[in-house]
Amino acid sequence: QQKVQQSPESLTVSEGAMASLNCTFSDRSSDNFRWYRQHSGKGLEVLVSIFSDGEKEEGSFTAHLNRASLHVFLHIREPQPSDSALYLCAVRAEGADRLTFGKGTQLIIQP
Amino acid sequence: DMKVTQMPRYLIKRMGENVLLECGQDMSHETMYWYRQDPGLGLQLIYISYDVDSNSEGDIPKGYRVSRKKREHFSLILDSAKTNQTSVYFCASSRSGNTLYFGEGSRLIVV
């Protein structure tokens, strides 16, 4: 069964500095990777989706996938305090009908 | 405007009472989901619905049932609620397993 782990559990970054979040998965056949953000008391919003090795950029969010090492990263350029939220990685194994979510990284952006 | 709407947003029930959580979407998505989110456990999939009257168990279906009689509407039912069903419940929808769009959540407290 797919396992998805995120690190760190919590991360504090100064406003404007790059924030980097890590997600590892267990099934190398996985073909569908998404990063979601969840502000406190709200639902999840998709930030970036990536389906092949390499990078995918959406605004200030860049996902980097390396299936050989079973890692997908999220980099946030020049984060603002409004980017403080829980960031969730979601992975789908090839042929699966569902995403498996990590437990998330709580990101705090300090002014 | 793409939207997933959950009702009610907040609910307090006594142990043993029945609970109905409702979800609607305006995107004509075939697939809908119910998740619960708990601290330390992340998002756990309860049920998937592939279309009207085509539902499948997720990872934690015990104690729950669902109903989907219209494509745009998906209900989660707890018959005889238990205290360990206190949680935040999220509904989501997608087109053919692509990007999931989430509602804002329904916070259920069972006392």
Side-chain angles (χ1 to χ4, degrees):
Chain A
Q1 188 177 359
Q2 174 87 265
K3 288 186 175 16
V4 177
Q5 294 184 304
Q6 293 186 239
S7 62
E9 285 186 19
S10 181
L11 177 65
T12 300
V13 172
S14 296
E15 181 177 356
M18 175 82 79
S20 294
L21 285 60
N22 180 33
C23 173
T24 60
F25 53 97
S26 60
D27 188 336
R28 194 168 270 113
S29 76
S30 300
D31 61 1
N32 192 316
F33 305 83
R34 299 175 196 271
W35 282 97
Y36 284 85
R37 178 171 70 181
Q38 185 182 26
H39 285 107
S40 182
K42 298 292 188 181
L44 282 70
E45 58 174 323
V46 63
L47 300 174
V48 57
S49 305
I50 188 166
F51 309 109
S52 58
D53 285 348
E55 291 192 347
K56 176 79 178 296
E57 185 177 314
E58 295 282 356
S60 60
F61 303 101
T62 300
H64 182 104
L65 174 63
N66 183 331
R67 263 188 286 213
S69 67
L70 300 171
H71 283 272
V72 56
F73 300 94
L74 179 69
H75 304 293
I76 307 172
R77 267 190 320 281
E78 300 183 353
Q80 304 299 306
S82 58
D83 291 314
S84 296
L86 182 69
Y87 286 77
L88 295 156
C89 170
V91 181
R92 191 184 73 186
E94 187 181 24
D97 63 353
R98 61 199 64 185
L99 291 169
T100 301
F101 284 83
K103 294 180 182 179
T105 292
Q106 187 69 51
L107 179 64
I108 299 167
I109 306 299
Q110 284 187 335
Chain B
D1 191 24
M2 299 186 294
K3 200 168 176 62
V4 177
T5 304
Q6 292 186 231
M7 293 290 286
R9 295 291 314 281
Y10 303 95
L11 191 59
I12 299 177
K13 286 287 195 178
R14 295 188 187 281
M15 200 166 55
E17 290 185 327
N18 298 334
V19 177
L20 173 65
L21 301 180
E22 305 201 77
C23 176
Q25 49 99 0
D26 61 1
M27 298 168 276
S28 296
H29 285 167
E30 308 91 357
T31 311
M32 296 186 74
Y33 311 76
W34 276 106
Y35 289 88
R36 62 178 283 178
Q37 186 178 37
D38 301 284
L41 294 178
L43 274 169
Q44 298 177 86
L45 180 63
I46 305 171
Y47 267 94
I48 299 178
S49 174
Y50 302 105
D51 211 326
V52 171
D53 284 331
S54 178
N55 306 318
S56 179
E57 293 181 347
D59 299 320
I60 53 161
K62 189 177 177 183
Y64 304 94
R65 63 183 173 92
V66 292
S67 174
R68 186 143 180 228
K69 298 301 182 185
K70 293 182 180 180
R71 176 172 278 193
E72 61 272 16
H73 192 76
F74 190 34
S75 300
L76 181 69
I77 301 123
L78 288 67
D79 295 313
S80 187
K82 300 173 180 52
T83 54
N84 63 8
Q85 293 177 308
T86 291
S87 187
V88 181
Y89 291 86
F90 286 97
C91 174
S93 73
S94 75
R95 188 179 304 285
S96 302
N98 288 319
T99 300
L100 271 65
Y101 294 88
F102 283 82
E104 298 257 289
S106 294
R107 182 176 294 273
L108 170 67
I109 297 174
V110 182
V111 297

